[in-house]
Amino acid sequence: MTAPMSSQGANQGRTQVGIIGAGPAGLMLAHLLQRAGIDCVLLESRSRFHVENRLRAAVLEHDLATLLRQVGLGERMDRVGIPQEGIRLHAAPDHAWRIDLAAHTGRTAMLWGQYELVRDLIAARLDAGAPLLFNVDAVRLDDLDTHRPRINYRHDGEVFTLDCDFIAGCDGFNGICRAALPSERLAMHQHAWPFSWFGILTEADPAWPELVYGGHPDGFALASMRPPGLTRFFFQCDPDEDVHSWSTDRIWQTLHRRLDAGGTSLGEGHIIQRSIIPLRSAVTETMQHGRLYLLGDAAHLLPPTGAKGLNVAVHDAVHFATAVRAWYAQADFGPMARFSEERIEAIWNAQRFCASMTRLLHRMPGEDSFGYRLRLAEIAYLAENRFAARSFAESYVGSANEEMLEAYLRP
Ligand code: RFL
Ligand code: PHB
């Protein structure tokens, strides 16, 4: 596809919403705006292959799975995705609990790989003939506090400009958009956790039909899955660990020790991919400057223990699309003006949940036997006390978003 242009001149284009970054936030925003008849151009710095094969997240909240069905993205998810009616908590080798998400909330989570969602969104956009440019680098944003903010980008060695009504910065944590906010308007609250995750993808059938979160005295571990028949494991490791210094035997020994419980042992298989993932939390306040809005990881990071990063990114997109619609349909700027404040409140709630799960299940450096027994008592209380389990289940499957989704879906 060639770069969008208009009569304004060679290498100069115009759109209503310029979107930088084709991750879940940017792609979902483009999909929702397109459905509402609002014109947008999506610019992505990486190749289509790269974006469609990034492993990343997998757990979708109940409402987001519902939304995907309602906006024409549910068919493959319902055929191939794995609904999660419960999750398991292990404190191997003696303790294994299950939290029944469906019984506590009447709702379920959906295990649907982020790359699958991204593939469906890209296919829908390209099938509709809507502009989505890969291998393009947004390099500079201009005139953000005017009515005509502009994106300057490079494509095939040439420089282009795109005039917009609004710019959505969906370019992840290392993109250019957050840096375009004036530093005096920006507060960054961030925390680097003192451990990382070692992640592998393996050709092994999952031993458990549901996600297993392990809180072992040695440290955290997690068994997840990717259909068909792949298992995704993670375990806590030191932050300065080298992925190559772990032999295959040592990886499996660590996983067995931290996850096997209740007489069940995880299945081993050929390891297709291995990586080390640092755990970081961050919240950017504010998420807006002039006509630039930050969405998804561009504005916040959550430790993956609570499985909220993808969900929060897609909620940002739904919320922003609703606000943009109100602007074009009713000239009502209220929702745009409230976007940052409303999202930041929701993001801190997601941070609360992810941080509490991270503290509960990971071994802090220097933890003694008292510290571990206290964590074990907390894990047991969470799993066995029905009020605690219900509160956990509500946060995990997602709550309090129904009104917003209804507002979006209302014609
Ligand atoms: P993304 O996905 O990082 O996409 C940003 C896109 O912007 C592009 N880009 C640019 N494009 C044009 N010009 C520039 N100058 C650009 N600079 C960057 C990038 O190439 C990229 O394509 O951000 P987005 O859309 O905000 O999505 C966020 C999610 O990807 C992220 O929050 C989740 O993956 C986090 N996460 C999880 N979230 C969940 O909700 N549930 C989970 O189960 C879950 N598990 C996880 C996770 C993240 C993980 N890692 C790898 C940190 C598990 C892991 C291991
Ligand atoms: C995953 O399958 O990638 C996954 C699942 C649950 C999490 C984090 C990652 O909390």
Side-chain angles (χ1 to χ4, degrees), residues 56-59 111 197 211 213 222 224-226 232 234 304-307 396:
R56 299 244 176 135
V59 181
L111 206 48
W197 279 13
L211 291 178
Y213 289 89
L222 167 62
S224 177
M225 52 207 128
R226 295 288 184 281
R232 180 96 165 109
F234 300 97
T305 332
Y396 196 85

Side-chain angles (χ1 to χ4, degrees), residues 87-147:
I87 61 138
R88 291 162 195 241
L89 287 175
H90 286 184
D94 303 324
H95 306 283
W97 297 270
R98 176 172 186 271
I99 297 185
D100 193 327
L101 302 172
H104 282 297
T105 65
R107 297 138 72 86
T108 56
M110 175 63 87
L111 206 48
W112 183 230
Q114 178 168 321
Y115 57 86
E116 302 280 16
L117 171 63
V118 161
R119 285 173 194 178
D120 283 352
L121 282 162
I122 290 175
R125 187 153 182 87
L126 295 180
D127 287 352
L132 162 54
L133 307 182
F134 292 101
N135 304 308
V136 157
D137 236 354
V139 287
R140 205 183 68 237
L141 308 181
D142 285 333
D143 301 334
L144 294 176
D145 41 16
T146 73
H147 288 238

Side-chain angles (χ1 to χ4, degrees), residues 68 85 94 162 165 183 194 198 215 242 256 268 321 385 396 405:
L68 292 187
E85 294 196 351
D94 303 324
L162 183 65
D165 293 341
S183 55
F198 198 113
D242 173 6
H256 278 296
E268 297 182 18
N385 179 284
Y396 196 85
L405 291 183

Side-chain angles (χ1 to χ4, degrees), residues 260-316:
D260 289 355
T264 307
S265 182
L266 56 86
E268 297 182 18
H270 170 65
I271 298 177
I272 305 167
Q273 196 256 24
R274 48 185 95 190
S275 58
I276 291 190
I277 301 137
L279 261 65
R280 279 188 298 171
S281 305
V283 179
T284 305
E285 299 185 7
T286 165
M287 291 167 69
Q288 182 226 337
H289 168 62
R291 295 240 168 170
L292 168 67
Y293 293 76
L294 300 180
L295 280 69
D297 280 15
H300 33 71
L301 286 179
L302 295 103
T305 332
K308 289 291 168 215
L310 167 63
N311 289 284
V312 167
V314 176
H315 277 296
D316 285 353

